[in-house]
Amino acid sequence: MSTASDRARQLELVARLQSSFPELPDAPTPDLLDHSRYAAYMKPVHDVGGEPDAPIFYEGKAYEQWEHMTYVMCEVLAWRGIWLSEERRRIGNVDVGRTVYLGFPYYGRWLLAVARILVEKHHIALGELSERMLEVQERYAGGLNGRLPEATPRSVGDGADVPRNSHHRHAVGIGDPQVYAGRAGEAAFAVGDRVEVRELPVLLYTRTPEYVRGAVGEVAAVAYESPAPEDETWGLSDAPAEWFYVVRFAMGDLWHGYTGPADDTLQTEIPERWLARAGGKDDTR
């Protein structure tokens, strides 16, 4: 049972954690929403490279049992054709919003993505899921106290009637991305080619980092054929395959005021749709 005071404290916590734009407290009129501000609003929350941040102390950490089980559960859902890994990335990294993305543990977001995909694809009703969550909460009301969570009640089924995505049906026994081999045609670029990352509008999801868009780099490897993340994440059954490339950039070209060695480089993987042959007015190297 919660009291009015309990609820007030919770709302105060929400107010502290939710980000805001003090200069625009209300929805702006169109004349106040320029392109830069629009792009800032639309930026996927996982695309944090280059953003200001405080120093973080990194240390080795052993995975907890629930983290191991979450990873296994997500892999099994992909293996059995319930979702694609790209769907999990989008649902667990982007659709949660910036506050949850920064505030939840890494595998906590994966676990939230599991609940969402099972509800959205009608594998369980949200009401039933809520009741089961309450059962677990009551079962361990006093804390785990050294115990490991158990799946109770257990059930077994053959899964024959569970709908699988089309990717699972055509990739089983072959593998991914092997199943797309030969489908993308001739690669547009070769190792050593200089390419410029296109500045395509970003809406809802992408895995092409903001810090390389508009930059010029060199193709380090022609990697494999696969649908681009922007298509695969929505589970499109007819998404076309395209080539992916490993592109190498000079660090000094990516980061303003970079003071490291001149030969420092960064490599990242980019699908063909995001690349154009360099040599235009923006290629000054």
Side-chain angles (χ1 to χ4, degrees):
M1 177 180 177
S2 63
T3 66
S5 178
D6 293 333
R7 293 188 290 274
R9 281 194 297 270
Q10 180 63 25
L11 289 175
E12 289 173 1
L13 178 60
V14 171
R16 282 168 36 212
L17 295 179
Q18 297 286 4
S19 60
S20 62
F21 285 84
E23 72 276 15
L24 284 177
D26 301 312
T29 56
D31 60 304
L32 295 179
L33 187 61
D34 59 18
H35 178 72
S36 294
R37 189 172 295 275
Y38 169 82
Y41 276 128
M42 292 295 103
K43 181 177 180 178
V45 298
H46 71 297
D47 190 9
V48 297
E51 290 187 5
D53 199 1
I56 297 176
F57 177 71
Y58 291 94
E59 61 180 341
K61 173 187 175 297
Y63 288 123
E64 298 177 20
Q65 193 257 359
W66 72 270
E67 293 174 307
H68 280 295
M69 296 307 295
T70 298
Y71 177 84
V72 169
M73 183 162 42
C74 288
E75 289 296 294
V76 169
L77 287 172
W79 172 55
R80 299 302 296 165
I82 304 302
W83 63 1
L84 300 174
S85 295
E86 207 64 59
E87 287 182 281
R88 189 259 305 154
R89 293 188 183 101
R90 170 179 59 84
I91 294 171
N93 288 350
V94 177
D95 290 351
V96 295
R98 183 169 293 261
T99 299
V100 172
Y101 178 79
L102 296 174
F104 268 34
Y106 178 67
Y107 282 111
R109 288 187 278 108
W110 283 41
L111 195 57
L112 184 61
V114 170
R116 180 166 169 181
I117 200 71
L118 293 178
V119 171
E120 287 190 349
K121 295 199 174 184
H122 302 167
H123 295 293
I124 190 172
L126 181 57
E128 180 183 358
L129 179 60
S130 298
E131 293 290 346
R132 292 192 183 185
M133 290 172 65
L134 182 59
E135 289 178 12
V136 175
Q137 184 178 343
E138 292 175 343
R139 190 184 313 149
Y140 299 100
L144 292 175
N145 298 320
R147 297 174 294 169
L148 295 179
E150 296 184 9
T152 304
R154 295 176 181 270
S155 61
V156 178
D158 62 12
D161 295 329
V162 175
R164 316 290 184 184
N165 59 41
S166 59
H167 176 75
H168 169 80
R169 294 193 295 271
H170 73 248
V172 65
I174 301 174
D176 181 352
Q178 293 85 352
V179 69
Y180 296 108
R183 297 191 182 187
E186 184 178 354
F189 308 105
V191 172
D193 284 353
R194 293 192 60 74
V195 293
E196 179 179 348
V197 183
R198 300 173 66 200
E199 297 188 75
L200 295 173
V202 173
L203 186 66
L204 305 180
Y205 185 74
T206 185
R207 290 186 66 196
T208 300
E210 184 180 43
Y211 59 80
V212 302
R213 295 177 213 149
V216 173
E218 180 180 298
V219 174
V222 181
Y224 56 86
E225 300 161 86
S226 180
E230 292 88 348
D231 291 340
E232 193 173 46
T233 190
W234 307 105
L236 295 179
S237 59
D238 58 349
E242 57 189 83
W243 282 99
F244 280 65
Y245 304 85
V246 177
V247 182
R248 181 184 299 119
F249 300 90
M251 294 284 272
D253 291 342
L254 299 181
W255 313 110
H256 178 67
Y258 186 72
T259 59
D263 58 353
D264 273 1
T265 60
L266 176 149
Q267 294 187 172
T268 188
E269 190 179 87
I270 304 176
E272 190 168 279
R273 70 177 60 184
W274 277 91
L275 300 176
R277 194 169 299 279
K281 61 181 180 180
D282 294 329
D283 185 8
T284 57
R285 292 174 57 82

